[in-house]
Amino acid sequence: ILNVEQSPQSLHVQEGDSTNFTCSFPSSNFYALHWYRWETAKSPEALFVMTLNGDEKKKGRISATLNTKEGYSYLYIKGSQPEDSATYLCAFMLGNTDKLIFGTGTRLQVFP
Amino acid sequence: GAVVSQHPSRVICKSGTSVKIECRSLDFQATTMFWYRQFPKQSLMLMATSNEGSKATYEQGVEKDKFLINHASLTLSTLTVTSAHPEDSSFYICSADPGQFRLGYTFGSGTRLTVV
């Protein structure tokens, strides 16, 4: 059974704090790692699709790194804002498939 | 950007009835649509993959006769929960690949099904 784990489950931070979450995934048969941001009552929105070991992606204050050999990815948010409050999902894509296996997500709440 | 419209957002139905959930790709053609289910405090679990013009592929443990999937056009996929029971109460959400790998998949906004 392929397992994708995310930690922490939830996080409460103050506006302006920087934060990071972890996604652990199987290190074998890797094809890609997706990160999504999911605000309440909205659709999950793709943040990054990462494929190469050592890959680093950045979008504004959000960045992500990837280690396929040890099976983990970190998502960083610099200077968190209340609008960053959402659930952040990672999803592992197996080689030769287009299916995504999701973690349970990290729920971030940023207080003003 | 690519948009998937999912309806209804919420539905309450009586036990034994059937419920249809629709997902439409509004500005792209979706040859494949993925259907997920999420129970409280659990991850999105892939139920099935629908393919335009052919039979859906179901994940292990998902009853294909209970969860009927139809993907009759390149912009519409439907999931029908037949003879729904309270244990089918869950959050159902669809996604599609808009064809630009680096941009990830596009999701609907989900359907909260409550069977009473």
Side-chain angles (χ1 to χ4, degrees):
Chain A
I1 295 175
L2 295 169
N3 210 25
V4 177
E5 295 185 358
Q6 290 188 248
S7 62
Q9 283 189 357
S10 65
L11 200 52
H12 300 151
V13 301
Q14 209 67 34
E15 182 176 355
D17 288 349
S18 294
T19 187
N20 65 85
F21 335 126
T22 305
C23 173
S24 301
F25 53 86
S27 54
S28 60
N29 209 10
F30 174 88
Y31 187 67
L33 194 282
H34 291 216
W35 279 100
Y36 291 86
R37 171 191 147 91
W38 194 2
E39 289 183 74
T40 304
K42 293 187 178 179
S43 306
E45 172 198 349
L47 289 172
F48 305 114
V49 177
M50 308 176 80
T51 56
L52 300 175
N53 184 45
D55 220 357
E56 290 188 28
K57 300 274 188 183
K58 189 174 180 185
K59 185 186 270 191
R61 294 179 289 99
I62 305 176
S63 60
T65 60
L66 179 68
N67 183 322
T68 60
K69 293 184 179 179
E70 295 180 42
Y72 64 84
S73 175
Y74 294 137
L75 188 81
Y76 301 91
I77 302 179
K78 185 178 176 182
S80 304
Q81 300 296 309
E83 57 265 32
D84 296 328
S85 298
T87 297
Y88 291 82
L89 299 174
C90 71
F92 168 78
M93 184 181 271
L94 269 174
N96 298 322
T97 77
D98 48 10
K99 299 179 186 179
L100 294 179
I101 301 166
F102 281 87
T104 50
T106 293
R107 185 179 172 90
L108 172 68
Q109 283 188 278
V110 183
F111 295 103
Chain B
V3 176
V4 171
S5 175
Q6 182 171 347
H7 294 282
S9 56
R10 287 182 181 274
V11 59
I12 300 173
C13 71
K14 288 186 178 179
S15 191
T17 62
S18 296
V19 172
K20 182 186 281 188
I21 301 169
E22 288 190 352
C23 276
R24 290 182 186 274
S25 56
L26 297 187
D27 46 5
F28 67 99
Q29 294 183 332
T31 54
T32 302
M33 194 82 79
F34 302 97
W35 288 94
Y36 298 86
R37 178 169 55 180
Q38 185 183 38
F39 291 108
K41 298 192 186 297
Q42 294 187 23
S43 61
L44 292 173
M45 294 295 294
L46 182 65
M47 299 174 65
T49 303
S50 76
N51 302 291
E52 187 268 335
S54 64
K55 288 184 179 179
T57 305
Y58 290 82
E59 296 300 304
Q60 195 171 9
V62 177
E63 300 173 58
K64 60 182 181 181
D65 294 330
K66 181 164 191 61
F67 299 100
L68 298 180
I69 289 173
N70 185 281
H71 195 150
S73 79
L74 285 170
T75 58
L76 176 63
S77 177
T78 61
L79 168 68
T80 301
V81 184
T82 63
S83 186
H85 291 284
E87 57 267 29
D88 299 322
S89 298
S90 188
F91 182 80
Y92 295 85
I93 191 167
C94 61
S95 77
D97 179 1
Q100 299 178 63
F101 180 76
R102 292 288 172 186
L103 299 183
Y105 288 0
T106 299
F107 282 78
S109 52
T111 297
R112 173 73 58 193
L113 170 64
T114 304
V115 184
V116 297

